[in-house]
Amino acid sequence: MYFVSAPLFRPLAFAIPRSPRRPARMTPAAATSERDEQARVHAALLRAMTSGDKSALGRLYDLLAKPLYSLAYRVLHDHPEAQDVVHEVFLQMRDKAGLYETNRGTVFSWAATLTRNRAIDRVRMRKRRAEIIAESAPEIREETPAATGADTLAWQEKSGAVRAALTQLAPDQQAAIELAFFGGLTQQEIAARLNAPLGTVKARIRRGLLKLRETLPAQP
Amino acid sequence: MITERQEEQAALHALGLLEGAERSAFEHELAGDAELRALVASLGETSAALALTAPQIVPPAALKDRLLAAAPPRAAAALVEFPLARYAPWAVAACATFAALWFGFQTFRLRAENQSIRTERDLAEIAYKMTQGQLKERSLLTENMINRLGNQLKRQEDLSRMKVTALASLLGNSKEAQAIAVWDPDLQSGLLTVDKLPALADNQDYQLWVVDPAYQNPVNGGVFKVGADGHTALVFKTDQPIGKIAAFAVSLEKKGGVPKAEGPLVLLGK
């Protein structure tokens, strides 16, 4: 028997500012302003890439590589493969930068979607889905975030806010969403994994994602 | 208004859980619903934010070097430094080529049109000549017809105008003698044909007389003789102008004739 709920809550511990090294929280207004500014910087770097700015790719990498790499590793549990995914995603962003439209979402959202899709594709291609699933959800190893010059307070604030919002979901909603997002399972596989009817799983995902959207601070 | 079903589909779509026909159907529905698109975009952002819940790991430094090495600068900057002077001759040449092609095409088109017009003109000319020939032919036919009709009318008029009289014999020894006198009042001349009249002695002549009521005595029409067969044809004119003919008469006179009839009448016709 496989239990999902308890291990899934482990990443949410990041939301709790217990470490003295963690920066002090900003006010909500300041955090929103910082996120907006961050989104504008990302979009500007993307535009700079289309006009041939040689340094734009490196600067965008500095800002996004860490969360994207973390996401890729979270799905793949394999450092070389996570590196390959991040490498491919940045090249794809450079090649498709001209097609990006700000009204379709933030650059981070686009990059995260590309990373997740590529990582899940790799998981499926390796044909070790069952093995990866068994490792992914329950066995998340908590790693201490390494502060770098590229880390910003806004990233940390947002990361903490998302974790905090996730903890407010019902455990079954949280489990379904995490299995879908990080595990790359199909609806039926999630239902089988959670031993719940398919309709129930769909409803949990709908309610969970909508609540998460309401709980999270305004999206940039 | 977004339904619960649409919310569910949007949430599944944001997490990449829609597949195959279900995904196609939803994306088709999405294309025509701006409100639904906004919901999907919003849930997509929420879904992407889940990436931040992953334990944060710093990627190895070599990854950035590898990325920058694999991503050489793109050629976009070259577009800024467009060497106008370098490409100007090519642009001029291209324009000239285009112009030459255009003029060539126009020339070819106009020639074709000109040829077509010439052909039409030739055909029209041929048609005109044919029509002209037909008209001429018809005109000739009409003219001939008019001439023929005119001649017929003239003959009929001539015949109606002419005085034709048959003369009968008044002699006991020449009962079979016959004569016909034809007189044209316009020309004031006539023709007398005689058959089976007895031949005369050398000192005698037959003399023709034209009886006109306007004159007291018959007018002399001339003398004549007949051959052994009793036949002769005499074109005659009178000594005086004739207005209306009452009768023709032939008398037997002395040779050379007389101014006033003296001998016996041989033929008479009214």
Side-chain angles (χ1 to χ4, degrees):
Chain A
M1 189 65 185
Y2 178 71
F3 297 98
V4 175
S5 304
L8 278 176
F9 289 119
R10 285 188 189 172
L12 308 180
F14 285 106
I16 305 169
R18 62 192 174 195
S19 169
R21 291 180 299 165
R22 293 183 71 82
R25 280 183 175 275
M26 291 189 292
T27 63
T32 302
S33 174
E34 177 72 17
R35 279 193 300 275
D36 290 347
E37 180 58 27
Q38 202 174 34
R40 278 195 290 273
V41 168
H42 296 165
L45 287 173
L46 213 56
R47 283 195 299 274
M49 275 196 274
T50 62
S51 57
D53 186 339
K54 299 174 185 176
S55 64
L57 179 63
R59 287 161 60 197
L60 192 65
Y61 176 90
D62 290 339
L63 294 173
L64 299 181
K66 186 179 171 184
L68 297 183
Y69 185 77
S70 301
L71 170 60
Y73 182 78
R74 172 75 171 79
V75 175
L76 290 162
H77 283 270
D78 185 291
H79 282 292
E81 284 209 280
Q83 288 173 34
D84 287 346
V85 165
V86 172
H87 181 257
E88 290 167 5
V89 165
F90 275 100
L91 287 180
Q92 185 178 359
M93 289 172 70
R94 187 206 60 164
D95 293 341
K96 305 287 184 186
L99 303 176
Y100 171 74
E101 297 173 14
T102 52
N103 60 349
R104 301 283 293 272
T106 61
V107 175
F108 172 73
S109 169
W110 181 38
T113 303
L114 290 177
T115 304
R116 175 178 170 270
N117 290 345
R118 281 182 176 273
I120 288 174
D121 285 346
R122 280 177 174 261
V123 170
R124 289 173 178 170
M125 284 171 65
R126 284 188 304 193
K127 297 183 179 177
R128 292 194 296 121
R129 181 179 298 166
E131 181 182 352
I132 293 299
I133 291 166
E135 293 171 0
S136 65
E139 300 295 336
I140 296 170
R141 289 166 290 177
E142 184 176 332
E143 297 187 26
T144 305
T148 67
D151 265 343
T152 64
L153 289 177
W155 274 126
Q156 292 177 21
E157 280 292 322
K158 184 164 185 177
S159 178
V162 176
R163 290 190 189 104
L166 204 55
T167 60
Q168 294 180 29
L169 302 183
D172 52 2
Q173 293 173 2
Q174 187 179 349
I177 288 173
E178 288 205 325
L179 281 175
F181 189 78
F182 292 111
L185 300 184
T186 65
Q187 301 172 38
Q188 291 77 10
E189 287 169 338
I190 296 169
R193 178 65 60 190
L194 298 179
N195 197 24
L198 183 59
T200 303
V201 168
K202 287 181 178 179
R204 286 176 185 174
I205 288 173
R206 178 181 69 83
R207 285 195 294 268
L209 209 55
L210 288 173
K211 185 173 182 183
L212 200 57
R213 185 183 66 152
E214 291 168 7
T215 312
L216 282 175
Q219 301 297 312
Chain B
M1 180 65 185
I2 294 177
T3 64
E4 195 171 292
R5 181 193 66 79
Q6 287 175 319
E7 279 183 347
E8 185 176 282
Q9 296 258 296
L12 295 173
H13 186 271
L15 288 170
L17 291 175
L18 289 184
E19 292 178 316
E22 194 178 17
R23 178 176 176 169
S24 299
F26 181 70
E27 287 179 349
H28 185 261
E29 187 178 358
L30 203 57
D33 191 335
E35 191 182 4
L36 189 57
R37 281 200 301 276
L39 174 65
V40 167
S42 171
L43 291 177
E45 289 288 325
T46 303
S47 168
L50 289 170
L52 296 173
T53 63
Q56 296 297 290
I57 305 170
V58 179
L63 181 57
K64 182 178 180 182
D65 298 336
R66 178 182 155 201
L67 173 68
L68 296 179
R74 304 184 72 182
L79 295 175
V80 178
E81 299 170 6
F82 182 71
L84 185 61
R86 183 177 161 191
Y87 290 105
W90 290 102
V92 171
C95 289
T97 305
F98 177 77
L101 287 173
W102 188 80
F103 280 119
F105 173 75
Q106 291 298 323
T107 304
F108 178 77
R109 189 177 62 81
L110 289 174
R111 275 187 185 171
E113 281 184 11
N114 192 26
Q115 184 60 39
S116 174
I117 290 169
R118 279 185 181 173
T119 305
E120 284 180 12
R121 190 197 64 186
D122 291 345
L123 288 172
E125 197 169 342
I126 290 168
Y128 169 74
K129 284 181 178 175
M130 286 176 67
T131 307
Q132 198 176 30
Q134 288 174 350
L135 285 173
K136 196 172 181 179
E137 192 176 341
R138 288 183 182 182
S139 176
L140 283 172
L141 285 171
T142 307
E143 190 178 350
N144 289 337
M145 191 180 294
I146 289 170
N147 288 337
R148 196 166 57 248
L149 289 170
N151 291 335
Q152 285 178 358
L153 284 171
K154 192 170 184 299
R155 276 200 301 274
Q156 288 174 0
E157 187 182 358
D158 289 347
L159 288 172
S160 65
R161 190 178 68 241
M162 295 215 179
K163 174 68 175 176
V164 180
T165 304
L167 287 80
S169 173
L170 298 176
L171 294 177
N173 61 348
S174 57
K175 291 180 181 176
E176 296 177 352
Q178 292 179 346
I180 293 175
V182 178
W183 174 253
D184 187 338
D186 292 339
L187 297 176
Q188 289 292 302
S189 69
L191 174 67
L192 175 70
T193 59
V194 177
D195 282 310
K196 299 179 180 176
L197 267 181
L200 296 177
D202 291 341
N203 61 347
Q204 289 183 308
D205 278 328
Y206 288 115
Q207 189 168 1
L208 175 65
W209 302 94
V210 178
V211 181
D212 184 348
Y215 299 103
Q216 186 176 1
N217 296 313
V219 179
N220 177 32
V223 296
F224 64 91
K225 286 184 181 295
V226 296
D229 58 353
H231 173 80
T232 189
L234 170 68
V235 175
F236 63 92
K237 280 185 174 293
T238 56
D239 292 346
Q240 294 174 300
I242 300 301
K244 183 179 179 182
I245 295 176
F248 289 98
V250 174
S251 64
L252 181 62
E253 302 293 347
K254 64 182 180 183
K255 186 172 179 65
V258 295
K260 183 178 175 182
E262 297 174 356
L265 288 177
V266 179
L267 297 169
L268 176 67
K270 295 182 178 179

